[in-house]
Amino acid sequence: MATVASKLYSDDVSLLVLLLDTNPLFWSNTSTTFSQFLSHVLAFLNAVLGLNQLNQVVVIATGYCSCDYIYDSSLTLSGNSESGRTGMPALFASLLEKLEHFIVKDEELIKEQEHDERIASSLLSGSLSMALCYIQRVFRSGHLHPQPRILCLQGSPDGPEQYVAVMNSIFSAQRLMVPIDSCYIGTQNSAFLQQASYITGGVHHAPKQLDGLFQFLTTIFATDLHTRSFVQLPKPVGVDFRASCFCHKKTIDMGYVCSVCLSIFCEHHKKCSTCGSVFGQSKLDGASTVSEKKRKAPDS
Amino acid sequence: AKALAKCEEEPNKPAAVLTSAEQLSIADLELRFKVLRENSELQRLHKEFVETKVLTEDEFWATRKKLLGKDSIRKSKQQVGLKSMMVSGIKPSTDGRVYYIILSTPSWKLSFPVKCSCRKEIMHTISSLAQLTNRVTFNLTSEIIFQIFAEKPAVRQAFINYVPSKMTEKDFWTKYFRAEYLYSTKNTAVAAAEAAEDEELAVFLKPDEILAQEARQKDHGIQRDGTMDVVEPQNGQFRRSLLQDLNRHAAVVLEGRNIDVDSEDTRSVAEALARVKQVSKADGETTKDANQERLARMSRVAEMEDLQAPQNFPLAPLSIKDPRDYFESQQGNVVNESRGAGTLKRNVHEAYGSLKESILEIRTKGLSDPLIKPEVAFEVFRSLTQTISTAKNIIGKNPRESFLDRLPKSTRDEVLHHWTSIQELLKHFWSSYPITTTYLHTKAGKLKDAMSNSYSLLEAMKESVQSELRHQLSLLVRPMQQALDAAFQHYDADLQRRTAKSARGSAGEANGSV
């Protein structure tokens, strides 16, 4: 039995972990409706499952305040569906049900928060971490497992307060050798996603027309890892490597870096808040105070 | 210009600058040459800047103290093991030529004629000249002495006993080598005869008593047939077995140097060895301890500290704060665009409502049909193909290949060299600000000229390369040019400020004096 299974586990079996952006603030502002988007995505998932008998798909919803597992193809039994729903592939009935429950829960969570004055970003760091935990469990399950990759379908802008957490997840994914593909459907640029794909060796694309989303997904993101060495996928020419500062969480491109722990600050501090090392006074500050004193002397 | 000079002298710093002559010792100079010789990149930089007087020697080496530190000397102090070649004597020859043997140590020489010849492969330390002149030098270095003492405890004991009470060191070694020669001639009759005359010689010729004792101790339960030793004929007593010698030699080499006495004094070496033997003999009762001690020593020595890179300064441990504090502070700490809290909440609820509606819609209606229009799909394919083909032209087929590899080798080397030299120049330039002395001012001026030179070289390089690579090359070179531009800007701004200050200063003085 084991040998049969191993024969089936050829090079192109993949485990796709899809991070679905369900941020309501984003979806209320776009031209495409969420239902259209969902139909593209569900058709894509069907296609991926159809590519190989052993392919697996896991869907994690990235909400505004929380994240949760929505769907796991290895757990869902095919026959167990509600008949009577027209048009909907039975495979995804449970997915939609769980999605609805998740959104209700997310809404309740937001009621509890008093001030939510941050950028309308979704909790990318949370869902990335959950995806990596699932993949780690798959790795530990034994020798025979599909090759995992993460696909991030994101439209919300980056939340700079999540910079450290997202970077940590990206480096963990790099260590695990799990590529993070990203498909950005929003309006602005997403530095996090570009960096994630660049560092982990995944594919990044930002499609302009959302009504062709299904075509984008199947052309670029459906290929498994083994096939990617033979297929030319679109590469971004430049990557936005901006970081966010550790004190105010603003996105900056010029700042101060602690030489001990490499934390980034936007303004001069006396002490590094992460590792506690004391910074010396910068030469430029010293020069300006001296010259100011000098300027006063001749006038008075 | 006068005003400028006056302005610079105002700060009144003492002129304790680097140009004051530092007496460099010859050792330091040698060290610098050595470092330059080993590192060709550094040598190139040195040639480019110090020899054209852009930087002085001191400035160049000021930031590279680590290279010149004591650490590089340490490398030569690697512990050397014992030679595995046996310190054997001289073998007799058949052609009967007479050679004089000269024994020399740092302090004395002696010579005596001996009828023998030596095989080249045995006597490595024989000078070729000696072969012509019938004289043979045998250098008795301290290492060889150590080896002789380690291998032959009887000789060591004899040394301790006889020198300096009964004979000088010179005589001791003469006798020793005479004995070695006699032994190697395998002429036991002659050996016996000489031994009878000279008791010290006899010591050297007999099989090593101490070794035999140790060997006997190692055989615990086995009944040694003592008759074997006794029944030997008188002359045979002086026959040491080659096997015993070889084994002894091998044991000594593997053990290495187990004493720390490094001195030239032969006597102290002998005594130190004796002490070590005593200690090990005392432990010898319980072989388990001896083995354990040997294992511990082996694990210590196996690390080969002298081959490791020099240790850096002791590091302070990195203490990173509890990350939970950091993540919790994210929650309430951010102040971004603040819409009114009330309106936001309403928006949010509406948004959630519409999301839920969407899901309901898709559950009832199913996937949209058709999922995607053919024109749209075709458009997607077209744009993707365009993206990929243009990217291929720019970046190249291999995604991981860097642009540097596609350049011809000479251009690539030139680009990399420019990079290192610009780094060096910028490092010195920025370190000379704020300008407080005339020395720094001239230094900054010189550096600026060198940097302008680099800039024009970069431009020339960009022109010279092939047209299809030009765009990528200019992208590659851009950060260097931007860094240089920033430096130039700073220099000009600073110069302007100084002239303005001096103008104001002189104007103020003029007013004041009037």
Side-chain angles (χ1 to χ4, degrees):
Chain A
M1 253 250 287
T3 47
V4 172
S6 63
K7 273 194 203 142
L8 290 174
Y9 264 101
S10 51
D11 289 338
D12 54 354
V13 178
S14 51
L15 160 67
L16 176 67
V17 182
L18 181 67
L19 307 182
L20 203 60
D21 187 5
T22 59
N23 185 3
L25 297 171
F26 166 69
W27 285 114
S28 55
N29 288 337
T30 51
S31 48
T32 322
T33 64
F34 191 63
S35 56
Q36 284 175 337
F37 169 74
L38 263 187
S39 53
H40 286 281
V41 171
L42 292 177
F44 166 68
L45 289 180
N46 225 358
V48 168
L49 285 172
L51 277 175
N52 190 306
Q53 201 182 355
L54 294 169
N55 274 356
Q56 288 178 32
V57 168
V58 175
V59 180
I60 299 176
T62 317
Y64 186 65
C65 314
S66 61
C67 313
D68 200 8
Y69 295 98
I70 299 294
Y71 177 72
D72 186 343
S73 68
S74 52
L75 297 179
T76 315
L77 304 168
S78 51
N80 188 16
S81 59
E82 304 136 46
S83 54
R85 302 276 176 180
T86 54
M88 197 59 231
L91 214 50
F92 298 120
S94 62
L95 188 156
L96 290 171
E97 210 180 302
K98 282 215 190 126
L99 187 59
E100 202 173 343
H101 290 312
F102 168 73
I103 290 179
V104 168
K105 254 199 309 182
D106 206 35
E107 192 176 2
E108 279 169 27
L109 276 175
I110 205 175
K111 278 188 208 149
E112 294 166 20
Q113 281 189 8
E114 278 313 313
H115 43 192
D116 34 4
E117 291 171 348
R118 51 165 224 231
I119 293 181
S121 61
S122 55
L123 216 52
L124 178 63
S125 51
S127 50
L128 266 178
S129 316
M130 289 175 85
L132 287 169
C133 287
Y134 187 89
I135 290 175
Q136 178 72 294
R137 205 178 67 182
V138 167
F139 277 145
R140 290 189 188 174
S141 67
H143 236 4
L144 293 178
H145 56 77
Q147 291 188 336
R149 68 181 191 273
I150 299 178
L151 172 57
C152 206
L153 268 183
Q154 187 92 341
S156 329
D158 295 334
E161 71 273 6
Q162 298 177 49
Y163 174 73
V164 173
V166 170
M167 291 312 287
N168 284 339
S169 324
I170 293 174
F171 292 132
S172 317
Q174 188 191 29
R175 268 291 183 82
L176 286 176
M177 296 206 284
V178 170
I180 300 181
D181 303 328
S182 48
C183 185
Y184 185 69
I185 50 185
T187 46
Q188 307 151 337
N189 233 340
S190 166
F192 286 177
L193 291 181
Q194 282 183 4
Q195 289 187 42
S197 299
Y198 180 81
I199 293 175
T200 55
V203 182
H204 173 84
H205 196 75
K208 297 287 175 280
Q209 321 139 266
L210 282 188
D211 47 353
L213 183 63
F214 172 72
Q215 193 60 63
F216 278 109
L217 289 175
T218 46
T219 314
I220 305 172
F221 297 107
T223 42
D224 55 277
L225 298 182
H226 179 73
T227 318
R228 282 185 192 187
S229 46
F230 314 120
V231 169
Q232 292 271 357
L233 295 171
K235 287 178 284 271
V237 185
V239 184
D240 182 358
F241 277 119
R242 278 181 306 164
S244 34
C245 75
F246 281 42
C247 39
H248 305 113
K249 323 288 183 296
K250 295 184 294 191
T251 313
I252 56 174
D253 40 8
M254 270 232 285
Y256 297 84
V257 179
C258 168
S259 46
V260 175
C261 63
L262 299 182
S263 341
I264 306 168
F265 302 102
C266 53
E267 57 188 21
H268 183 72
H269 287 239
K270 289 238 168 48
K271 206 167 83 111
C272 170
S273 57
T274 322
C275 66
S277 26
V278 178
F279 298 137
Q281 200 192 28
S282 73
K283 275 193 185 165
L284 300 169
D285 290 349
S288 57
T289 50
V290 166
S291 58
E292 266 183 84
K293 284 188 205 149
K294 284 271 164 288
R295 220 174 286 142
K296 289 202 181 130
D299 293 337
S300 60
Chain B
K2 226 197 271 180
L4 190 64
K6 206 171 165 200
C7 179
E8 279 162 352
E9 279 154 22
E10 265 184 67
N12 265 340
K13 280 248 170 73
V17 264
L18 296 162
T19 50
S20 63
E22 288 172 5
Q23 291 297 327
L24 282 178
S25 66
I26 308 244
D28 277 345
L29 278 174
E30 271 185 8
L31 201 52
R32 286 184 183 181
F33 281 136
K34 182 162 161 264
V35 171
L36 280 181
R37 226 187 351 215
E38 288 169 1
N39 188 344
S40 68
E41 186 60 48
L42 207 60
Q43 192 176 32
R44 205 171 163 187
L45 280 177
H46 188 264
K47 199 166 101 177
E48 187 173 335
F49 294 133
V50 179
E51 289 177 18
T52 55
K53 302 265 187 260
V54 174
L55 290 175
T56 65
E57 274 278 347
D58 300 326
E59 286 164 6
F60 186 77
W61 290 107
T63 51
R64 297 188 166 91
K65 287 221 178 67
K66 218 166 144 196
L67 285 176
L68 292 179
K70 289 176 284 175
D71 301 333
S72 46
I73 307 180
R74 229 188 91 174
K75 277 185 210 160
S76 53
K77 284 240 180 98
Q78 191 182 354
Q79 266 186 24
V80 180
L82 296 170
K83 287 202 182 62
S84 48
M85 172 191 90
M86 275 181 71
V87 182
S88 63
I90 323 140
K91 292 256 178 313
S93 80
T94 46
D95 67 357
R97 282 217 299 194
V98 179
Y99 280 82
Y100 292 92
I101 305 225
I102 301 177
L103 285 167
S104 66
T105 63
S107 49
W108 47 265
K109 276 184 169 28
L110 70 86
S111 67
F112 58 90
V114 167
K115 212 174 189 173
C116 72
S117 85
C118 16
R119 288 203 205 122
K120 278 185 208 158
E121 63 266 29
I122 295 177
M123 299 286 275
H124 292 281
T125 52
I126 295 175
S127 59
S128 52
L129 196 60
Q131 287 194 320
L132 295 172
T133 59
N134 286 357
R135 273 167 186 266
V136 167
T137 25
F138 184 76
N139 282 327
L140 192 67
T141 60
S142 53
E143 186 186 331
I144 295 184
I145 293 179
F146 175 83
Q147 225 174 345
I148 293 175
F149 281 165
E151 286 183 33
K152 299 182 177 141
V155 174
R156 184 193 68 225
Q157 197 57 44
F159 184 88
I160 294 181
N161 293 340
Y162 296 154
V163 176
S165 52
K166 268 185 149 181
M167 58 172 90
T168 61
E169 198 174 330
K170 194 164 144 182
D171 291 335
F172 180 82
W173 288 118
T174 319
K175 287 231 167 91
Y176 175 74
F177 281 106
R178 180 114 188 109
E180 280 292 309
Y181 165 66
L182 286 173
Y183 167 65
S184 66
T185 56
K186 299 209 187 339
N187 193 342
T188 46
V190 176
E194 289 217 21
E197 294 172 28
D198 197 346
E199 63 165 288
E200 291 96 27
L201 211 59
V203 170
F204 297 142
L205 287 171
K206 270 198 306 199
D208 201 321
E209 263 301 312
I210 306 183
L211 274 182
Q213 243 186 341
E214 284 176 13
R216 246 174 276 146
Q217 271 181 351
K218 282 183 190 153
D219 299 328
H220 289 302
I222 304 172
Q223 271 294 5
R224 273 309 269 320
D225 192 3
T227 55
M228 284 280 278
D229 298 317
V230 173
V231 175
E232 257 183 58
Q234 180 98 12
N235 295 349
Q237 217 179 18
F238 302 108
R239 204 173 286 173
R240 301 195 303 258
S241 86
L242 184 61
L243 270 179
Q244 279 177 349
D245 280 348
L246 271 178
N247 285 341
R248 180 74 197 157
H249 176 76
V252 165
V253 167
L254 281 178
E255 215 171 289
R257 293 174 182 278
N258 57 354
I259 56 169
D260 294 321
V261 173
D262 205 17
S263 69
E264 293 283 325
D265 185 15
T266 326
R267 187 174 175 82
S268 54
V269 169
E271 281 174 355
L273 268 175
R275 251 178 286 135
V276 168
K277 278 287 176 282
Q278 286 245 343
V279 168
S280 66
K281 222 205 292 187
D283 299 339
E285 322 298 349
T286 52
T287 50
K288 218 197 305 184
D289 280 349
N291 278 338
Q292 262 181 3
E293 205 235 284
R294 197 183 323 129
L295 282 173
R297 231 190 104 238
M298 283 200 305
S299 63
R300 254 183 294 129
V301 174
E303 209 173 67
M304 290 215 236
E305 290 149 350
D306 47 344
L307 283 180
Q308 284 174 354
Q311 292 289 344
N312 288 327
F313 300 106
L315 305 166
L318 186 65
S319 67
I320 299 198
K321 277 172 55 176
D322 188 6
R324 254 175 293 149
D325 295 341
Y326 176 78
F327 287 119
E328 275 160 25
S329 74
Q330 281 182 37
Q331 299 297 337
N333 202 10
V334 182
V335 179
N336 278 318
E337 314 102 65
S338 54
R339 313 163 204 161
T343 49
L344 183 65
K345 276 236 169 77
R346 250 180 289 128
N347 284 348
V348 166
H349 283 298
E350 274 174 24
Y352 273 112
S354 67
L355 257 190
K356 281 187 276 193
E357 268 175 36
S358 290
I359 296 183
L360 201 60
E361 186 187 329
I362 195 175
R363 273 173 106 176
T364 47
K365 279 205 272 180
L367 298 178
S368 42
D369 184 23
L371 188 61
I372 184 168
K373 295 202 195 72
E375 310 83 73
V376 176
F378 182 70
E379 180 59 33
V380 168
F381 272 131
R382 199 192 56 76
S383 62
L384 275 181
T385 316
Q386 199 179 36
T387 316
I388 295 174
S389 52
T390 47
K392 202 160 98 165
N393 283 338
I394 297 178
I395 298 182
K397 288 198 191 130
N398 189 353
R400 290 293 176 201
E401 180 192 79
S402 95
F403 173 68
L404 273 180
D405 298 326
R406 291 173 63 208
L407 285 172
K409 188 170 184 313
S410 58
T411 321
R412 179 166 169 263
D413 289 339
E414 209 181 321
V415 168
L416 291 174
H417 177 68
H418 275 299
W419 174 246
T420 40
S421 51
I422 288 176
Q423 290 280 36
E424 182 73 19
L425 284 173
L426 284 174
K427 195 166 53 168
H428 289 280
F429 179 79
W430 287 112
S431 70
S432 58
Y433 276 91
I435 294 185
T436 44
T437 65
T438 333
Y439 166 75
L440 286 175
H441 182 75
T442 45
K443 180 176 168 190
K446 273 192 290 181
L447 287 170
K448 178 189 174 286
D449 295 332
M451 288 194 298
S452 333
N453 195 18
S454 279
Y455 200 96
S456 45
L457 282 175
L458 278 178
E459 288 290 323
M461 188 176 62
K462 276 203 293 187
E463 304 290 318
S464 68
V465 94
Q466 289 171 330
S467 57
E468 64 251 19
L469 300 172
R470 200 168 293 169
H471 177 65
Q472 278 292 304
L473 186 65
S474 50
L475 282 180
L476 191 68
V477 161
R478 200 180 334 146
M480 298 189 231
Q481 289 182 320
Q482 282 176 338
L484 287 175
D485 286 335
F488 290 148
Q489 251 182 10
H490 187 90
Y491 180 80
D492 291 332
D494 192 65
L495 200 59
Q496 257 186 5
R497 222 180 329 137
R498 295 180 152 276
T499 43
K501 213 178 1 164
S502 67
R504 234 184 306 133
S506 59
E509 267 188 25
N511 284 342
S513 58
V514 167

